Amino acid sequence: MIVKTLPPSSRPIQEDSSNGTDSRGELDVIDIVPEENGTPSLVVRSPRLLAAQKIGATAEPETLYDPVSIAEHYQNRPLQVLRRIFAVLGPTLSFAFGLWSDSKRGIVVKNDRRRATQLRVLLTQLGPAYIKIGQALSTRPDLVPTVYLEELTKLQDQLPPFPNELAYQFIKEELGAPPEEVYAELSAQPIAAASLGQVYKGKLKTGEEVAVKVQRPDLRERITIDLYILRNIAAWVQKTVKRVRSDLVGILDELGDRIFEEMDYIHEGENAERFFELYGHIKDIYVPKIYWEYTNRRVLTMEWINGIKLTQTEEISAQGINARYLIEVGVQCSLRQLLEHGFFHADPHPGNLLATPDGKLAYLDFGMMSEIKPPQRYGLIEAIVHVVNRDFEGLAKDYVKLDFLSPETDLTPIIPAFARVFADAQGASVADLNIKSITDELSALMYEYPFRVPPYYALIIRSLVTLEGIAIFIDPNFKVLSEAYPYVSKRLLTDQAPQLRASLQDLLFKDGRFRWNRLENLLRNARNSQDYDLNLVLNQGIEFLSSERGAFILDKLVDESVNGLDALSKNVLHNFTSLLRERVGLTAVNETPAATVEQQQTLEHIKHILGILRETRGFDPLQLATQISQLLVNSDVQRLGQQIANRFTQKAVARLIRQLLAS
């Protein structure tokens, strides 16, 4: 008897191995299946065995992108490569000539439905790599005319399907049985066809509705030859055109890695599980589960999602769902993907984002995912802060940290160049700019100065620009940066990472002076973040200030607090002595001077901050009073209070001595 282990559903299961059940009291499923040679197989679907199996699993060599092996393969097949080059150049040049000819005859090309259809058909015929380009353009209403946009949108899930016979053959080869034995129902025709596969609607014998994705035939061969040609072109450009300093080959290899991973449906299923574990808890985010028993390298079976594309705003509104709110949810989820965990969806086009009937945002298609490392995540947060606060010197240093500039680069001419890039935002918040406009401006800047584009950057921008394109389609006034800054502010105030603590210090202090307006701006924006916790900020703030790393900020805050108390005491004494002289008539009493302008400004800033805290979600005076009473017994808080009291006493004594000497 042969024992096989098949994976369970994607939802995490806490297992109790003592009685053979999971946390829901369900027994492991055991089936006896006859093999072709007549030997019965015992199939055990066990979460515990699955976990052990996954730890030892490695990707098959053919599922990995290997540019060296691909080059060796095609170097011996020059005729095949030439045929492919001419197959791409011929129709492309013909289409370009047609556009030129139309423009010469006075035809408004951007409104020509016939040419838009030709472009869609051309990209479809050229293959998956070019379909991906069309999908990216289909999300940019600010770049592509409406007529072309409507046609390119069809590339997301309305491509020509391949024959059912081939799809059924793949199902049998991958799952070990024909479709009618695997599924209780399967749609007669695919309900969607995309660049890498097509999707059928089905039903399992246990009753669950599922989406069955089957990979296109000869996909690997068609992808690899295009990647080989484009990689050679990139290497030639990189070597020949001196103005190009970016690692074009590295960028293309990064894309190749992602596409090859996307062609492995087991990898996609694992991506979906990981995505659920990291982001499935976010409010109004839904991630479909994977049915591992019916999934292999070329066939993926996942939960069926009833939903509407985000760009179908009228249909969404008809169901009483706010499409703009769902975009806000998507932006918040993307921020956590890029800046918190680093595991992000690199292909969020409208076909992969659905509004469900219960008002949730469902993510689909986890084939193209990517990762960004912690130093790069922190660098992006710092860059956003410096852009919004117009700290262009800090922004230039961020570009060094993010590998856009080498450490030895002279930043002196680059800092004013950044100021020119954002000159259009004078008098307005930089957060009101959109990512596409900033990217375009910075791209132009990169040709003038020694910038280089690191490979990881391309997919991040692709993800953000695609998401922003959907947002602009729904609401032309939507600003992703403006939506992002509350989350970034919250991270700066709550994240314990040394890099962000250093960034917070740089943000709040300049030339040794505390910038109250920056703190007000951070607190005002952070309170708009969905998961901002005022109590957490207070606790973490005290813990940080009492640490060695927070000594500098603590010292300055003590000075500012003393200045505020000093201003308050001066105003009280000034008002009291004025009252004695004017109303009581004690002219012998000297009128105490009021607080200086600088001290008064500090006092006003403190009042503003207290007002912001009172208006922050979760602020409860009773709870705060309880928390303060608990904090008073904290040794760190007591030490902080002693420092403020000592400084204030020193200032009061010094003022008294000055007054005595003066008299």
Side-chain angles (χ1 to χ4, degrees):
M1 181 178 293
I2 302 170
V3 178
K4 296 181 180 178
T5 303
L6 299 179
S9 71
S10 64
R11 295 307 195 252
I13 297 174
Q14 300 298 323
E15 192 176 6
D16 179 4
S17 58
S18 61
N19 58 8
T21 64
D22 62 28
S23 62
R24 297 170 299 188
E26 297 175 353
L27 289 168
D28 294 338
V29 180
I30 301 177
D31 296 329
I32 298 178
V33 182
E35 295 283 7
E36 293 181 0
N37 58 8
T39 306
S41 294
L42 180 64
V43 179
V44 184
R45 303 184 181 101
S46 164
R48 177 175 54 81
L49 291 178
L50 167 65
Q53 185 184 52
K54 281 189 175 181
I55 291 172
T58 56
E60 294 180 7
E62 63 269 18
T63 67
L64 301 176
Y65 173 67
D66 184 355
V68 176
S69 297
I70 291 173
E72 291 174 353
H73 176 80
Y74 286 110
Q75 281 169 358
N76 298 323
R77 294 167 174 79
L79 291 178
Q80 185 180 352
V81 174
L82 282 174
R83 281 197 299 269
R84 180 57 182 164
I85 291 173
F86 286 121
V88 172
L89 277 181
T92 302
L93 293 175
S94 175
F95 177 75
F97 178 78
L99 293 180
W100 176 82
S101 176
D102 286 350
S103 65
K104 289 296 182 182
R105 289 184 290 146
I107 298 174
V108 182
V109 175
K110 69 177 184 178
N111 297 329
D112 191 346
R113 171 78 62 179
R114 179 176 56 90
R115 291 298 184 190
T117 303
Q118 284 182 357
L119 177 60
R120 173 180 58 80
V121 173
L122 171 64
L123 294 174
T124 302
Q125 292 173 344
L126 292 181
Y130 298 91
I131 291 171
K132 290 285 184 188
I133 295 172
Q135 288 175 345
L137 290 174
S138 73
T139 64
R140 298 305 311 189
D142 52 337
L143 295 179
V144 180
T146 304
V147 172
Y148 285 77
L149 203 68
E150 292 172 359
E151 285 296 321
L152 293 179
T153 300
K154 297 176 182 178
L155 295 175
Q156 294 164 9
D157 54 13
Q158 299 179 41
L159 293 170
F162 59 91
N164 280 346
E165 292 74 16
L166 282 175
Y168 295 164
Q169 177 185 335
F170 286 174
I171 291 174
K172 182 177 180 180
E173 290 175 359
E174 296 296 311
L175 304 185
E180 60 270 17
E181 294 182 17
V182 177
Y183 305 102
E185 296 178 12
L186 199 65
S187 58
Q189 297 297 329
I191 50 91
S195 55
L196 303 188
Q198 59 192 35
V199 180
Y200 297 84
K201 184 177 182 180
K203 182 181 286 187
L204 300 180
K205 295 186 183 294
T206 49
E208 297 96 330
E209 287 190 333
V210 293
V212 182
K213 184 158 70 170
V214 186
Q215 193 172 109
R216 286 185 177 275
D218 304 322
L219 183 60
R220 196 173 306 278
E221 179 72 15
R222 300 180 69 185
I223 289 285
T224 52
I225 192 167
D226 283 337
L227 287 175
Y228 171 73
I229 293 169
L230 292 172
R231 193 174 190 272
N232 278 299
I233 293 173
W236 180 83
V237 170
Q238 194 170 310
K239 182 180 179 181
T240 307
V241 184
K242 299 302 180 184
R243 292 179 65 87
V244 176
R245 291 174 292 270
S246 301
D247 184 5
L248 298 182
V249 173
I251 292 172
L252 200 67
D253 285 344
E254 177 78 8
L255 181 63
D257 282 334
R258 300 290 83 79
I259 292 179
F260 265 65
E261 288 175 356
E262 195 175 1
M263 288 189 288
D264 179 4
Y265 288 168
I266 289 180
H267 187 78
E268 179 175 345
E270 292 170 343
N271 284 342
E273 287 187 335
R274 185 179 175 192
F275 194 89
F276 170 77
E277 290 167 3
L278 294 176
Y279 315 114
H281 66 281
I282 297 175
K283 186 176 184 295
D284 292 326
I285 290 290
Y286 192 83
V287 183
K289 67 179 180 180
I290 305 298
Y291 291 92
W292 284 109
E293 301 94 322
Y294 315 103
T295 294
N296 213 328
R297 303 242 175 242
R298 293 184 296 173
V299 176
L300 174 71
T301 303
M302 68 189 303
E303 178 184 359
W304 177 263
I305 301 295
N306 289 308
I308 306 169
K309 288 183 184 179
L310 284 187
T311 48
Q312 295 176 304
T313 50
E314 292 183 4
E315 291 87 340
I316 292 175
S317 298
Q319 294 198 9
I321 300 170
N322 186 342
R324 194 188 193 284
Y325 166 73
L326 290 184
I327 273 294
E328 292 172 5
V329 171
V331 169
Q332 293 302 315
C333 184
S334 292
L335 289 171
R336 283 158 179 76
Q337 292 174 47
L338 289 169
L339 304 179
E340 195 165 321
H341 298 290
F343 181 66
F344 68 95
H345 198 299
D347 194 21
H349 65 69
N352 293 337
L353 296 171
L354 299 182
T356 65
D358 56 351
K360 295 190 176 188
L361 178 64
Y363 277 79
L364 306 178
D365 194 349
F366 302 93
M368 185 170 284
M369 309 291 291
S370 190
E371 293 198 56
I372 175 171
K373 297 176 182 177
Q376 296 157 352
R377 299 204 294 269
Y378 296 134
L380 286 173
I381 292 175
E382 292 173 297
I384 292 172
V385 172
H386 290 143
V387 165
V388 173
N389 288 286
R390 297 181 179 281
D391 184 354
F392 302 123
E393 182 179 354
L395 183 63
K397 293 177 181 177
D398 294 333
Y399 270 74
V400 175
K401 295 178 186 175
L402 291 169
D403 294 330
F404 283 82
L405 294 167
S406 60
E408 64 273 7
T409 303
D410 180 14
L411 301 180
T412 307
I414 295 176
I415 294 169
F418 277 135
R420 289 195 301 273
V421 165
F422 298 106
D424 292 340
Q426 291 294 339
S429 171
V430 179
D432 290 335
L433 294 176
N434 63 49
I435 292 173
K436 181 64 177 60
S437 64
I438 293 175
T439 302
D440 289 346
E441 294 285 353
L442 290 177
S443 296
L445 192 68
M446 288 178 183
Y447 281 99
E448 299 180 32
Y449 297 96
F451 285 88
R452 60 193 180 196
V453 179
Y456 73 86
Y457 176 75
L459 286 177
I460 292 175
I461 288 300
R462 183 179 190 272
S463 176
L464 282 176
V465 169
T466 301
L467 183 66
E468 185 181 62
I470 301 172
I472 292 172
F473 186 92
I474 293 172
D475 179 2
N477 297 317
F478 194 97
K479 306 297 180 187
V480 171
L481 268 181
S482 182
E483 293 290 332
Y485 198 58
Y487 169 79
V488 171
S489 300
K490 189 263 307 185
R491 283 290 300 277
L492 269 183
L493 290 169
T494 60
D495 201 301
Q496 298 291 329
Q499 297 95 322
L500 294 188
R501 287 304 184 193
S503 180
L504 179 62
Q505 177 176 313
D506 292 341
L507 180 70
L508 296 180
F509 294 94
K510 186 173 184 180
D511 300 327
R513 295 181 62 83
F514 190 82
R515 297 191 281 190
W516 285 100
N517 60 321
R518 293 288 175 87
L519 180 58
E520 287 181 36
N521 190 31
L522 276 178
L523 290 170
R524 190 177 291 109
N525 278 282
R527 71 184 181 186
N528 295 325
S529 182
Q530 293 178 356
D531 54 355
Y532 181 66
D533 187 337
L534 180 59
N535 294 326
L536 177 65
V537 173
L538 291 175
N539 288 329
Q540 290 184 339
I542 291 171
E543 180 184 345
F544 173 66
L545 291 174
S546 61
S547 68
E548 185 178 344
R549 290 182 291 115
F552 176 80
I553 293 182
L554 175 63
D555 191 55
K556 296 296 181 182
L557 281 179
V558 168
D559 285 342
E560 295 294 334
S561 301
V562 168
N563 284 336
L565 288 172
D566 193 26
L568 185 62
S569 66
K570 279 186 175 182
N571 286 341
V572 170
L573 284 173
H574 173 73
N575 293 335
F576 181 68
T577 53
S578 297
L579 179 67
L580 289 177
R581 287 174 61 84
E582 295 174 9
R583 296 192 180 182
V584 181
L586 296 177
T587 55
V589 177
N590 292 327
E591 185 175 337
T592 305
T596 64
V597 174
E598 184 179 356
Q599 289 175 327
Q600 190 64 39
Q601 288 175 344
T602 299
L603 188 59
E604 289 300 316
H605 281 303
I606 293 174
K607 289 179 182 178
H608 289 162
I609 286 174
L610 291 175
I612 292 170
L613 294 178
R614 281 197 302 270
E615 296 169 3
T616 300
R617 183 177 61 254
F619 177 82
D620 183 350
L622 294 177
Q623 184 179 358
L624 188 61
T626 304
Q627 188 177 22
I628 289 174
S629 64
Q630 293 173 347
L631 288 173
L632 289 176
V633 299
N634 186 307
S635 59
D636 296 328
V637 176
Q638 290 175 352
R639 185 168 64 85
L640 181 60
Q642 288 171 359
Q643 289 186 20
I644 295 175
N646 290 338
R647 296 280 184 89
F648 185 69
T649 303
Q650 290 170 8
K651 281 205 168 192
V653 170
R655 184 166 58 246
L656 179 62
I657 292 172
R658 282 196 303 270
Q659 290 175 348
L660 289 173
L661 290 174
S663 62

